[in-house]
Amino acid sequence: MIKAGIVGATGYAGGELVRILLAHKEVKIEWLYSKSYEGQVYSDIYKNMYTMADIKLVAGDLAKLSESVDVIFTATPQGYLASVINEEVLNNAKVIDLSADFRIKDVNTYEKWYGIKHQSPEFIKEAVYGLCEKNRGDIKGARLIANPGCYPTCSFLSIYPAAAEHIIDMSTVIIDAKSGTSGAGRGAKTANLFCEVNENMKAYGLPNHRHTPEIEEQLSYASGESVLLNFSPHLVPMNRGILVTAYATLRKKPDNTSYSEDEIRSIYEKYYKDEKFVRVLPKGVCPETRWVEGSNFTDVNILVDERTGRLIMMGALDNIVKGAAGQAVQNMNIMFGLKEEEGLEMPPVFP
Amino acid sequence: MIKAGIVGATGYAGGELVRILLAHKEVKIEWLYSKSYEGQVYSDIYKNMYTMADIKLVAGDLAKLSESVDVIFTATPQGYLASVINEEVLNNAKVIDLSADFRIKDVNTYEKWYGIKHQSPEFIKEAVYGLCEKNRGDIKGARLIANPGCYPTCSFLSIYPAAAEHIIDMSTVIIDAKSGTSGAGRGAKTANLFCEVNENMKAYGLPNHRHTPEIEEQLSYASGESVLLNFSPHLVPMNRGILVTAYATLRKKPDNTSYSEDEIRSIYEKYYKDEKFVRVLPKGVCPETRWVEGSNFTDVNILVDERTGRLIMMGALDNIVKGAAGQAVQNMNIMFGLKEEEGLEMPPVFP
Amino acid sequence: MIKAGIVGATGYAGGELVRILLAHKEVKIEWLYSKSYEGQVYSDIYKNMYTMADIKLVAGDLAKLSESVDVIFTATPQGYLASVINEEVLNNAKVIDLSADFRIKDVNTYEKWYGIKHQSPEFIKEAVYGLCEKNRGDIKGARLIANPGCYPTCSFLSIYPAAAEHIIDMSTVIIDAKSGTSGAGRGAKTANLFCEVNENMKAYGLPNHRHTPEIEEQLSYASGESVLLNFSPHLVPMNRGILVTAYATLRKKPDNTSYSEDEIRSIYEKYYKDEKFVRVLPKGVCPETRWVEGSNFTDVNILVDERTGRLIMMGALDNIVKGAAGQAVQNMNIMFGLKEEEGLEMPPVFP
Amino acid sequence: MIKAGIVGATGYAGGELVRILLAHKEVKIEWLYSKSYEGQVYSDIYKNMYTMADIKLVAGDLAKLSESVDVIFTATPQGYLASVINEEVLNNAKVIDLSADFRIKDVNTYEKWYGIKHQSPEFIKEAVYGLCEKNRGDIKGARLIANPGCYPTCSFLSIYPAAAEHIIDMSTVIIDAKSGTSGAGRGAKTANLFCEVNENMKAYGLPNHRHTPEIEEQLSYASGESVLLNFSPHLVPMNRGILVTAYATLRKKPDNTSYSEDEIRSIYEKYYKDEKFVRVLPKGVCPETRWVEGSNFTDVNILVDERTGRLIMMGALDNIVKGAAGQAVQNMNIMFGLKEEEGLEMPPVFP
């Protein structure tokens, strides 16, 4: 049994890690860490876990806690892991970080977009960006995983084949994304009260949301070009789910003819044919968040608009499963040589 | 492997049976039956099941279909099963009926409250009311299970110990229940449109909702008295969940002193101490539907109001899991000698 | 023009006062008071009011501010008005208090249920309980109005005729109430975050919610008996609306025969026939919150359950209109001799 | 008093017309027309209108009904008005059509995108596109108004100044729009059931939604160029509200320098400075649907993304007020020489 510790267990992503790992046959939760709730019983806070996780929350020195586990998940605010990570921790346990601390390779970019000083830049290079479908090979041997953001995962998987195959003009990419409210976290803010969110839609963070450079970096690797794009997130009154609608101008094929929708769909199907968690939907079917809720799936599809010459790339995932805890467990499975889908085969919950 | 067939697979309870059985290690879905969608692929309708249940829906003669399976679940409108059941079917397969056809022992009561003629009254006596926590023994040997209604399950489990131990005056029982909208089914009715249900609460079916005689009958068995009560269901703008708040006047103890809250809580804890799926919550904690969503749990608790001398009995469950598909699978597990919680250990999903 | 000041203008009830008074032909808002947002522009906080109420928020000494207005609305936490009210304020302006400070005549009861010391008990006697349909006469000449609570208004109007006409046994009254989330206020609490409230139902404050003694006191006046009852509020995932389902055992008529539903409905219709804001619904139609949303209406109806001998009394209102700001303006209209429905004739908004 | 008739009074837009006109001082509703509910009382269907609009619904020959009114609103499915309009109707009453029948000047375009044959192409030329802020002059003298669609109104008002001032490259315009569910109408379709819409987001109608040519036509007029664009609507689980996020590449200024955000904001402010119902929000404030709900406002704002050289244009409105019934009444006010905001000054309802 793999022994796991979760830091930030009382946030929504942390709670989802508990939900997934409780049903994971090869993992035992060794400790749950929460500074704010130290000493309280986990199921007093997340009462869904009553009788399932009646565990006392711990806090304290991570290096010491790392001695008792094989893997640590950090579902924590930006800056936390960078402030406590060290060789000792990494020698004791593999670390999967759900924050942004190690996602961006250029520390200046990180510090500029996040507005904080990086406390451990020396580990950035080593960290592997844990987008499983792309970096499976590197993940296998990693000590430190930068688990991708929810928006970047959905955006990347929606655009990846088109970018990698040079089907689209990367300078024209616009990503319009919509998210449920669990992505805003469990902090007690007026803006996230029920009556403020319910019956409302809004854009936020435009035009400089922090996930922008993460998406740009990954699409740059995929396309081999330096990518600048617009990323516009919106908040929608629902708990879970991210929906991405991305636009880009189609390039011509090498023979100077136009790509057809079927050709591009074939490319998407080829890219994802062995991927258990990416479903290329049937022709004409748009992704909807309800069809992936509670599961580790990302559903994607594309449409060609011949009138305007643009490709519309669409994706949907559950922001706290494939967009956070689920992908983190998928990374863990790869790192420990388990079946990649172990503990992640729960079907989507509908309605 | 147990081979299962599901009739009514495209309703919400049928869909939940598919979700649960896909993750059940001892069961294989042999066929999915839908008259309205015959010939279509299941995952074209329930797109969450894409790649997981790409099965062509069948229809036709149930007796013939029963030859290929060990168990049939009927998640169908009232009257369906009564119109097709016969010895042949029951000899071929065990039948677990999620409709009300075989729940009420007195056929006249059934016909009066449901307003339809019962087509197979000869099987009523044999049918076992599948409230697992109460009738486990009889379920084991049954061929035909009348799976309890969602409201009756929640109401019964909330009141059962108080009724059985004669703690309350059964002539004073009032059940005020609230349900999410999946209980209304998937039929295309104006009253169930998003804009009609959202931002609205209403009572419905008062004072003669069809679940009333079912609850009365079961509480009569439990208390040994003939019970008449008020049952008032309400519709609430959410997908899943039933919440019951029930009221009754406390009796005195045999020694003519009053019951304390702690004494009654002890009785509840004793009744449910071996029950995996009934959680008696800690003192003072009221059940909430979010803590059971997606799971087979029923959370219960009680409060004593010393000012008015009443007992408040509360319960929460997920209407399409413990209130329908989950309890049906729990019944199947008991009938086939499997571990009772097999396939039902998924933790509640929050948020 | 009546000059009005609003203390607590940035809460939900305060915001609703602004909405209503902006459209009121006889009123001019003179100042908006908020300690937390002093100096900010109102429409920066409530952006719906941009271009309509671009007013700088004030704070400070209420006695001084009272000099410039004819009426003050206090939509403030319990204890505030009691801590600042004095003869000077009341000589300068009429005061309509949306908090509970002056609703309960017995100061000991207030202090016990609210857990705070009352700072101005000398004004309790003078205060008039502003349930317009009941106390219109006294309201006319009052200086200080205790504007009723949202739950008490809905409960009282649902039960009043039955209580006053001795149709029901007052010792059997049980009020099961459900509310939207705006009643919980705009404070930044984790429990009121979107993801905590959405897709959830729960009871809260049982069995001793603070509105209990207020309802009991008013029903005692109405029935001429000392009333103890159960009042059970529940939280429902929607913005606005309160739904009351109340139960009581029917008494016999003086001639020892039973009341029929039609007889009781006639009594309700008689009680409310001149009331513009109480609608007795047609026979068999249950109140629903969507039909009153945004308006000052309370919809009521009753059902007789002959099987159990109980009367079911139902009511629905918008908790921040008739349950708070609307009734406050109705009180103001009465106090200033205006048409009672002035500014309150906006039709309910649906959907 | 202007006498008004409403055809399609039982749809959501029709219901909103009733709500607005009931509070309009210069209008009397003469008849409400509904084929499906003929003979029933309006407030039996829209129970919010109980005591306010207890009117029997009529149906029959429109020409005959037109004799008794000054203005007819048709809130009807596509094709209805075109099938019944004639000189007689137009001589009797002014007609404001909320359907798409007369919005598109090129009948071939209409027939291609709507898939139906236009029954009265001879009236297309005469019809005035009732976008009040743009066509006020022509509206004044019109007999027949094509009331704009909800998406087109929000899209146009968001983009109009940028298009008219040649600030953006019109070949790069992408409109990503999100709508609440009332836009889908009141028809009983499975896809619009509460449990299908709640907790879900989806794109629909891509890439050829019927509002596309309407938006293109109006932006072509505004910019003086032939415009082809992408318009992508999405469905969001809420009742009311449309949010538009539009993207386009900035042009250079005539002096070959770049536009600043402040310059473009000044242009927007200039365009809308006399418009009561278009609010250009303060710098950096993104439109949110909650701030316009229930009102006739459209809130707009823009952002410049210097990194990508794009302009982001944003707008929010209530789809059944400014997007339908409110704009229809605004058109009526203009046509009859009333104050343009008469009956439309209700503040937005929040929460």
Side-chain angles (χ1 to χ4, degrees), chain B residues 12 37 46 180-183 185-190 192-199 236-239, chain D residues 12 37 46 180-183 185-190 192-199 236-239:
Chain B
Y12 292 139
Y37 297 96
Y46 276 68
T181 304
S182 56
R186 214 182 179 222
K189 294 178 191 159
T190 300
N192 295 334
L193 290 176
F194 181 83
C195 289
E196 308 287 317
V197 170
N198 189 38
E199 297 298 296
V236 166
M238 47 192 289
N239 285 350
Chain D
Y12 292 139
Y37 296 96
Y46 276 68
T181 304
S182 57
R186 214 184 178 219
K189 295 179 191 157
T190 300
N192 294 335
L193 290 176
F194 181 85
C195 289
E196 308 288 317
V197 171
N198 188 39
E199 296 298 296
V236 166
M238 47 191 291
N239 285 349

Side-chain angles (χ1 to χ4, degrees), chain B residues 125-274:
Chain B
K125 187 150 183 284
E126 169 179 1
V128 174
Y129 188 75
L131 217 158
C132 310
E133 286 74 13
K134 177 78 185 331
N135 299 330
R136 194 170 278 126
D138 291 340
I139 292 163
K140 222 172 286 220
R143 295 195 302 174
L144 171 58
I145 294 288
N147 204 59
C150 48
Y151 283 126
T153 299
C154 195
S155 300
F156 183 83
L157 291 171
S158 301
I159 301 173
Y160 172 37
E165 296 295 321
H166 308 293
I167 291 168
I168 50 173
D169 177 349
M170 294 306 292
S171 73
T172 65
V173 174
I174 291 169
I175 302 171
D176 193 286
K178 299 94 185 159
S179 176
T181 304
S182 56
R186 214 182 179 222
K189 294 178 191 159
T190 300
N192 295 334
L193 290 176
F194 181 83
C195 289
E196 308 287 317
V197 170
N198 189 38
E199 297 298 296
N200 189 39
M201 290 183 278
K202 66 174 179 185
Y204 66 98
L206 269 54
N208 294 315
H209 187 277
R210 292 167 167 193
H211 281 164
T212 310
E214 182 181 340
I215 300 169
E216 289 178 343
E217 179 174 339
Q218 296 304 320
L219 287 177
S220 296
Y221 298 148
S223 65
E225 302 173 45
S226 177
V227 176
L228 283 186
L229 52 73
N230 274 96
F231 167 67
S232 302
H234 297 76
L235 194 71
V236 166
M238 47 192 289
N239 285 350
R240 290 168 179 244
I242 280 181
L243 189 71
V244 155
T245 309
Y247 307 87
T249 299
L250 282 163
R251 284 192 173 130
K252 295 284 181 192
K253 285 191 285 189
D255 65 1
N256 213 30
T257 60
S258 298
Y259 284 100
S260 72
E261 191 166 300
D262 287 345
E263 285 170 315
I264 304 174
R265 280 182 39 77
S266 295
I267 291 166
Y268 271 67
E269 280 165 356
K270 199 183 71 186
Y271 265 70
Y272 293 129
K273 75 172 184 316
D274 294 329

Side-chain angles (χ1 to χ4, degrees), chain C residues 6 9 13-23 29 32 42 49 53 325, chain D residues 347:
Chain C
I6 301 172
E16 194 72 354
L17 279 165
V18 174
R19 176 173 85 95
I20 293 172
L21 294 181
L22 280 176
I29 294 174
L32 299 175
Y42 187 67
M49 293 304 169

Side-chain angles (χ1 to χ4, degrees), chain B residues 82-129:
Chain B
S83 74
V84 298
I85 198 163
N86 54 37
E87 276 297 328
E88 193 187 343
V89 169
L90 286 173
N91 287 338
N92 286 334
K94 290 173 186 287
V95 176
I96 300 172
D97 179 29
L98 283 74
S99 87
D101 281 5
F102 295 96
R103 290 179 194 156
I104 292 173
K105 288 297 169 200
D106 177 2
V107 71
N108 295 321
T109 302
Y110 174 89
E111 294 185 343
K112 185 180 140 208
W113 287 76
Y114 284 87
I116 49 175
K117 177 126 195 73
H118 201 295
Q119 303 293 315
S120 301
E122 66 275 21
F123 291 106
I124 295 180
K125 187 150 183 284
E126 169 179 1
V128 174
Y129 188 75

Side-chain angles (χ1 to χ4, degrees), chain C residues 125-163:
Chain C
K125 188 149 181 286
E126 170 180 0
V128 174
Y129 188 74
L131 216 157
C132 310
E133 286 74 12
K134 177 77 185 328
N135 300 329
R136 196 170 277 125
D138 292 339
I139 292 162
K140 223 172 287 219
R143 296 195 301 174
L144 172 57
I145 295 289
N147 204 59
C150 48
Y151 283 126
T153 298
C154 196
S155 300
F156 184 82
L157 292 171
S158 302
I159 301 172
Y160 173 38

Side-chain angles (χ1 to χ4, degrees), chain D residues 5-317:
Chain D
I6 302 172
V7 186
T10 55
Y12 292 139
E16 195 71 355
L17 279 165
V18 174
R19 177 173 86 93
I20 293 172
L21 293 181
L22 280 176
H24 193 295
K25 280 182 300 188
E26 311 286 342
V27 176
K28 185 183 169 299
I29 294 175
E30 193 67 23
W31 45 254
L32 299 176
Y33 184 116
S34 166
K35 215 183 268 184
S36 350
Y37 296 96
E38 186 185 356
Q40 293 190 46
V41 172
Y42 187 67
S43 60
D44 283 353
I45 298 155
Y46 276 68
K47 297 196 177 75
N48 53 331
M49 292 305 170
Y50 187 52
T51 73
M52 303 191 95
D54 301 329
I55 304 169
K56 196 168 279 189
L57 288 156
V58 300
D61 181 43
L62 192 65
K64 190 147 188 348
L65 283 162
S66 69
E67 292 169 10
S68 60
V69 294
D70 304 303
V71 62
I72 295 169
F73 296 92
T74 48
T76 44
Q78 319 309 336
Y80 166 80
L81 185 60
S83 74
V84 298
I85 199 163
N86 55 38
E87 275 298 327
E88 193 186 344
V89 169
L90 286 172
N91 287 336
N92 287 333
K94 290 173 186 289
V95 176
I96 301 172
D97 180 29
L98 284 75
S99 88
D101 282 3
F102 295 95
R103 291 180 193 155
I104 292 173
K105 287 296 168 202
D106 177 2
V107 70
N108 295 322
T109 302
Y110 174 88
E111 294 186 342
K112 183 181 142 208
W113 286 76
Y114 284 87
I116 49 176
K117 176 127 196 73
H118 201 294
Q119 303 292 316
S120 301
E122 67 275 21
F123 291 106
I124 294 179
K125 186 148 183 283
E126 169 179 2
V128 174
Y129 189 74
L131 217 158
C132 311
E133 287 73 12
K134 177 76 188 329
N135 300 330
R136 194 170 278 126
D138 292 338
I139 293 163
K140 223 172 288 220
R143 295 194 303 173
L144 173 57
I145 294 289
N147 205 58
C150 49
Y151 284 125
T153 299
C154 195
S155 300
F156 183 82
L157 291 171
S158 301
I159 301 171
Y160 172 36
E165 296 296 321
H166 308 294
I167 293 167
I168 50 174
D169 177 349
M170 295 307 291
S171 75
T172 65
V173 174
I174 290 169
I175 301 172
D176 192 287
K178 299 93 184 160
S179 175
T181 304
S182 57
R186 214 184 178 219
K189 295 179 191 157
T190 300
N192 294 335
L193 290 176
F194 181 85
C195 289
E196 308 288 317
V197 171
N198 188 39
E199 296 298 296
N200 189 38
M201 289 183 278
K202 65 173 179 185
Y204 65 99
L206 269 53
N208 292 316
H209 187 277
R210 292 165 168 195
H211 281 167
T212 310
E214 182 181 340
I215 300 169
E216 289 177 343
E217 179 173 337
Q218 296 304 320
L219 287 177
S220 297
Y221 297 148
S223 66
E225 304 172 43
S226 177
V227 176
L228 282 187
L229 51 76
N230 274 95
F231 167 67
S232 302
H234 298 77
L235 194 70
V236 166
M238 47 191 291
N239 285 349
R240 288 169 181 247
I242 281 180
L243 189 71
V244 155
T245 309
Y247 308 85
T249 299
L250 282 163
R251 285 195 173 126
K252 296 283 183 194
K253 284 192 286 190
D255 65 1
N256 213 30
T257 61
S258 298
Y259 284 101
S260 72
E261 191 166 301
D262 288 343
E263 286 171 314
I264 303 175
R265 280 181 40 76
S266 295
I267 291 167
Y268 271 67
E269 281 164 357
K270 200 183 69 185
Y271 265 71
Y272 293 130
K273 76 172 182 320
D274 295 327
E275 294 302 338
K276 181 116 189 185
F277 294 123
V278 181
R279 304 190 292 194
V280 181
L281 299 183
K283 181 166 180 157
V285 177
C286 294
E288 306 188 23
T289 59
R290 61 175 163 161
W291 303 129
V292 298
E293 190 179 332
S295 82
N296 201 45
F297 287 126
T298 304
D299 285 359
V300 299
N301 210 347
I302 58 100
L303 289 167
V304 166
D305 185 354
E306 293 178 3
R307 298 169 65 252
T308 62
R310 292 201 186 95
L311 182 67
I312 305 178
M313 297 155 282
M314 302 172 290
L317 54 71

Side-chain angles (χ1 to χ4, degrees), chain A residues 3-4 17 39 53 65 86 109 135 175 272 302 304 313 348:
Chain A
K3 284 181 285 181
L17 279 166
L65 282 162
N86 55 37
T109 302
N135 300 330
I175 301 171
Y272 293 131
I302 59 99
V304 166
M313 298 156 281

Side-chain angles (χ1 to χ4, degrees), chain A residues 43-325:
Chain A
S43 61
D44 283 354
I45 299 156
Y46 276 67
K47 296 195 178 75
N48 54 329
M49 292 303 170
Y50 186 53
T51 72
M52 302 191 95
D54 302 328
I55 304 170
K56 196 168 279 189
L57 287 155
V58 300
D61 181 45
L62 192 65
K64 190 147 190 340
L65 282 162
S66 69
E67 293 170 9
S68 60
V69 294
D70 304 303
V71 62
I72 295 169
F73 296 91
T74 49
T76 46
Q78 319 309 335
Y80 167 80
L81 184 61
S83 75
V84 298
I85 198 165
N86 55 37
E87 276 295 330
E88 193 186 344
V89 169
L90 286 173
N91 287 337
N92 286 334
K94 290 173 186 290
V95 176
I96 300 172
D97 180 30
L98 283 73
S99 87
D101 282 5
F102 295 96
R103 290 180 194 156
I104 292 173
K105 287 296 168 202
D106 176 2
V107 70
N108 295 322
T109 302
Y110 174 88
E111 294 186 342
K112 183 179 142 210
W113 286 77
Y114 284 87
I116 49 176
K117 176 127 196 74
H118 201 295
Q119 302 293 315
S120 301
E122 67 274 23
F123 292 105
I124 295 177
K125 187 148 184 284
E126 168 178 2
V128 174
Y129 188 75
L131 217 158
C132 311
E133 286 74 14
K134 177 78 185 328
N135 300 330
R136 195 170 276 125
D138 292 339
I139 293 163
K140 223 173 287 222
R143 294 195 302 174
L144 171 58
I145 294 288
N147 204 59
C150 49
Y151 283 125
T153 299
C154 195
S155 301
F156 183 83
L157 292 171
S158 301
I159 301 171
Y160 172 37
E165 296 295 321
H166 309 293
I167 292 168
I168 50 173
D169 176 348
M170 294 306 291
S171 74
T172 65
V173 174
I174 291 170
I175 301 171
D176 193 286
K178 300 93 185 160
S179 175
T181 304
S182 56
R186 215 183 176 220
K189 294 178 191 158
T190 300
N192 295 335
L193 290 176
F194 182 83
C195 288
E196 308 287 318
V197 171
N198 189 38
E199 295 298 296
N200 189 39
M201 290 182 279
K202 65 173 180 187
Y204 65 98
L206 268 53
N208 294 314
H209 187 278
R210 291 165 168 195
H211 281 166
T212 310
E214 182 181 340
I215 300 169
E216 289 177 344
E217 179 173 338
Q218 296 304 320
L219 287 178
S220 296
Y221 299 147
S223 65
E225 304 173 43
S226 177
V227 176
L228 283 187
L229 51 75
N230 274 96
F231 167 67
S232 302
H234 298 78
L235 194 70
V236 167
M238 47 191 290
N239 286 348
R240 291 168 180 245
I242 281 180
L243 189 71
V244 155
T245 311
Y247 307 85
T249 299
L250 282 163
R251 284 193 172 129
K252 295 282 183 194
K253 285 192 284 189
D255 65 1
N256 214 29
T257 61
S258 298
Y259 283 102
S260 72
E261 191 166 299
D262 288 343
E263 285 171 314
I264 304 174
R265 279 181 41 76
S266 294
I267 291 165
Y268 271 68
E269 281 164 357
K270 198 183 71 185
Y271 265 71
Y272 293 131
K273 76 173 183 315
D274 295 327
E275 294 302 338
K276 181 114 190 188
F277 295 123
V278 181
R279 303 189 293 194
V280 181
L281 299 184
K283 181 165 182 159
V285 177
C286 294
E288 306 188 24
T289 60
R290 62 176 162 160
W291 303 129
V292 296
E293 190 179 332
S295 83
N296 201 47
F297 287 125
T298 304
D299 284 358
V300 300
N301 210 346
I302 59 99
L303 289 168
V304 166
D305 185 353
E306 294 179 2
R307 297 170 66 250
T308 62
R310 292 200 186 95
L311 181 67
I312 305 178
M313 298 156 281
M314 303 171 288
L317 54 71
D318 182 323
N319 56 301
I320 39 182
V321 187
K322 181 63 178 174

